[in-house]
Amino acid sequence: MIKAPRGTRDLLPPDTALWNFVEAAVRDVFRTYNFHEIRTPIFEETQLFARGVGEETDIVSKEMYTWEDRGRAESDKGQSLTLRPENTAGVVRAYIEHKLWERGLNKLFYIGPQFRRERPQKGRYRQFYQIGAEVIGPPPSGSESPARDAEVLEMLATLLDRLGITGWTLELNSVGSSDCRPAFNEALRKALAPVVAGMCTDCQRRAVTNPLRIFDCKVPEDQPIIEKLPRMSEFLDDACRENFAAVREILDAIEIPYKVNDRLVRGLDYYVRTAFEFTHRALGAQNAILGGGRYDGLSEALGGPHAPGIGFAIGEDRLVMSLAQSAEAVTRKPDVYIAPLGSGMNRHAARLARELRRHDLVAELGDETFRLKKSFEIASKARTRYVLIVGENEVQSGAFALKNIETGEQVTVARADLAAKIQSK
Ligand code: HAM
């Protein structure tokens, strides 16, 4: 038997109703913050992620789905392509390719699948879905302002509240800039040199390739060592320090609760200054419901102009998991089950269904060979409110038997009044 590949899953009804409910609510929120949708390809040139996300990250060094795409003709050159592991690099590529700086400040959002070859577990998949947003533009558009950071964070709080998700924590940090981070990395390497041999193999590798990532280590034995390491907060230069204070001042003023976590580092290399995650207590080991931050140097790293930006991506799989709502509660039930009764009645039932659906009613159609008892069984199993009986007599008289399954009441309704009767509570 052929099954879905490891780490992927089918989303089936009624759960898909929950996904649609989330996406509709999120689109509503984006609209009021003047964000507009962007759709980029689900695969890109591999170089985009190597340069954008960073060669030394786990994502690029071991989690990407990459293949060599051969040219179809001798003259076509082949290229290395990769299923996107995230969408920020793709959005910034599009920003450069389409000269979006000419529009000033861009406020963009996307909803779609991402791909990472991670060890699957609850809340962690190889194909997962992100709802993300990016604010990017030339500095005169205000893209660099701490007001953007605070606005994005406030939008996220609003969004989670709107979905009825409580119990989230906003963890906030400043990871410095290319001006002050080198000194921190140096200090980190120095502090690690005498102790790293006693740490886990992941940390030993990180100490060489990307020492900042050591703060992400979850191995209990390593924690006392990590606790004593220097922190980025001690190395922030004046500009970064002021910027971080300005972001927090706005958050305080608009009463968005947050926790400064000076151990917060992110798994992608492009971040500078503000970095954040929202965690949720109901999620277990994979408790980050979303993550994001500033990436002021990314456009330049990809060959574009200076374009400060900030954004986030919500793990939609995890967002849906943390909803209190049930799929049933957001699934629309059929309003009416149309039961054609006897030979030749299918076409009359089809015409009625067409009329009723034009009134935005959800109509389910049976078949003329079904006995009435069977139609009632199907209708009540689907929790349909009405059954409409379409027999020879009804068609001829133009008046139809309409039975309310919940109350058992049956009435005769003229064709022209059917929609209104079914709509009325
Ligand atoms: P990220 O932290 O790698 O950031 O991913 C964001 C969110 O995607 C995570 O917090 C998590 O909820 C979800 N996620 C990541 N990997 C998986 C997985 N394997 N299975 C299920 N959910 C997952 C980014 O991707 C950045 N592009 C965010 C960003 C946008 N930063 C600036 N702009």
Side-chain angles (χ1 to χ4, degrees):
M1 211 201 12
I2 301 174
K3 292 187 173 168
R6 184 168 141 81
T8 71
R9 55 192 187 137
D10 301 307
L11 302 173
L12 306 173
D15 292 351
T16 40
L18 223 40
W19 287 67
N20 286 332
F21 165 77
V22 163
E23 290 173 16
V26 160
R27 283 174 189 278
D28 257 6
V29 172
F30 280 136
R31 194 171 308 122
T32 58
Y33 287 79
N34 199 27
F35 277 74
H36 297 278
E37 185 165 5
I38 182 170
R39 299 192 191 193
T40 64
I42 64 164
F43 60 86
E44 296 268 3
E45 283 189 41
T46 304
Q47 266 306 305
L48 175 67
F49 305 114
R51 275 160 59 189
V53 175
E55 301 265 17
E56 302 297 341
T57 59
D58 284 355
I59 294 176
V60 173
S61 66
K62 45 187 194 201
E63 294 172 359
M64 297 207 302
Y65 289 93
T66 297
W67 69 98
E68 209 48 52
D69 207 55
R70 285 174 294 122
R72 303 240 322 151
E74 282 296 316
S75 55
D76 286 355
K77 62 174 180 2
Q79 53 183 352
S80 178
L81 299 176
T82 293
L83 286 181
R84 63 184 187 196
E86 63 103 44
N87 213 163
T88 307
V91 168
V92 176
R93 192 237 348 108
Y95 174 86
I96 299 166
E97 189 168 333
H98 304 287
K99 300 190 171 60
L100 296 184
W101 56 83
E102 288 171 356
R103 306 179 181 190
L105 190 68
N106 293 267
K107 296 165 84 175
L108 305 167
F109 79 88
Y110 49 83
I111 301 177
Q114 319 291 335
F115 306 85
R116 297 181 192 176
R117 191 187 285 105
E118 294 193 81
R119 197 171 51 75
Q121 64 178 88
K122 188 166 183 280
R124 189 163 70 195
Y125 309 98
R126 291 181 167 181
Q127 173 172 338
F128 60 99
Y129 294 81
Q130 283 187 342
I131 298 170
E134 313 294 347
V135 182
I136 181 170
S141 70
S143 57
E144 212 167 7
S145 164
R148 299 288 81 71
D149 305 44
E151 185 179 19
V152 160
L153 291 165
E154 186 273 329
M155 176 171 76
L156 281 165
T158 299
L159 207 152
L160 295 177
D161 290 345
R162 182 81 58 91
L163 287 170
I165 296 174
T166 52
W168 51 264
T169 306
L170 161 56
E171 302 197 19
L172 195 62
N173 194 17
S174 174
V175 295
S177 68
S178 54
D179 293 332
C180 50
R181 195 150 349 121
F184 174 55
N185 270 330
E186 199 41 50
L188 212 48
R189 283 210 167 85
K190 222 180 239 160
L192 281 166
V195 290
V196 73
M199 299 181 80
C200 69
T201 50
D202 272 344
C203 280
Q204 296 189 15
R205 183 176 43 82
R206 291 170 180 143
V208 181
T209 58
N210 205 351
L212 213 65
R213 297 287 305 156
I214 282 186
F215 289 106
D216 234 11
C217 173
K218 306 275 183 321
V219 177
E221 293 77 30
D222 289 357
Q223 300 311 310
I225 303 175
I226 295 170
E227 277 308 312
K228 291 202 201 84
L229 293 174
R231 296 300 154 94
M232 187 65 231
S233 50
E234 303 155 29
F235 289 82
L236 292 179
D237 60 20
D238 288 346
C240 287
R241 197 180 303 277
E242 281 162 25
N243 189 271
F244 193 37
V247 174
R248 282 177 300 161
E249 245 166 54
I250 304 175
L251 291 178
D252 292 337
I254 57 179
E255 293 173 11
I256 301 297
Y258 60 89
K259 228 171 62 187
V260 173
N261 174 0
D262 65 3
R263 266 187 70 162
L264 177 73
V265 288
R266 306 261 309 125
L268 306 96
D269 278 353
Y270 47 64
Y271 291 110
V272 296
R273 296 191 168 173
T274 310
F276 57 85
E277 283 181 2
F278 282 63
T279 54
H280 194 271
R281 55 180 140 89
L283 284 176
Q286 302 303 317
N287 69 349
I289 198 167
L290 70 92
R294 218 166 232 297
Y295 46 83
D296 295 348
L298 181 53
S299 171
E300 284 147 298
L302 297 175
H306 182 48
I310 180 165
F312 63 82
I314 306 172
E316 191 176 358
D317 305 77
R318 297 181 192 177
L319 187 67
V320 170
M321 276 165 58
S322 52
L323 281 186
Q325 221 101 4
S326 77
E328 262 74 24
V330 295
T331 301
R332 191 165 165 196
K333 306 278 181 305
D335 297 299
V336 58
Y337 183 91
I338 304 174
L341 206 61
S343 158
M345 289 301 118
N346 270 350
R347 69 187 102 113
H348 296 291
R351 186 173 306 142
L352 277 160
R354 195 165 148 87
E355 287 168 20
L356 294 176
R357 286 170 180 152
R358 282 203 192 113
H359 285 88
D360 194 37
L361 288 166
V362 181
E364 190 63 78
L365 255 178
D367 183 81
E368 61 191 25
T369 64
F370 292 178
R371 287 171 190 277
L372 202 50
K373 183 163 177 277
K374 174 169 172 173
S375 294
F376 275 110
E377 278 165 11
I378 299 173
S380 64
K381 199 167 168 197
R383 295 208 258 144
T384 311
R385 203 142 54 91
Y386 287 105
V387 172
L388 175 64
I389 298 162
V390 184
E392 191 85 53
N393 293 343
E394 280 83 0
V395 170
Q396 248 155 43
S397 67
F400 294 82
L402 186 68
K403 181 160 180 149
N404 184 323
I405 302 196
E406 286 157 24
T407 64
E409 180 205 23
Q410 183 166 323
V411 286
T412 303
V413 185
R415 184 177 203 114
D417 302 332
L418 275 172
K421 173 68 187 165
I422 294 167
Q423 266 153 354
S424 71
K425 287 289 143 195

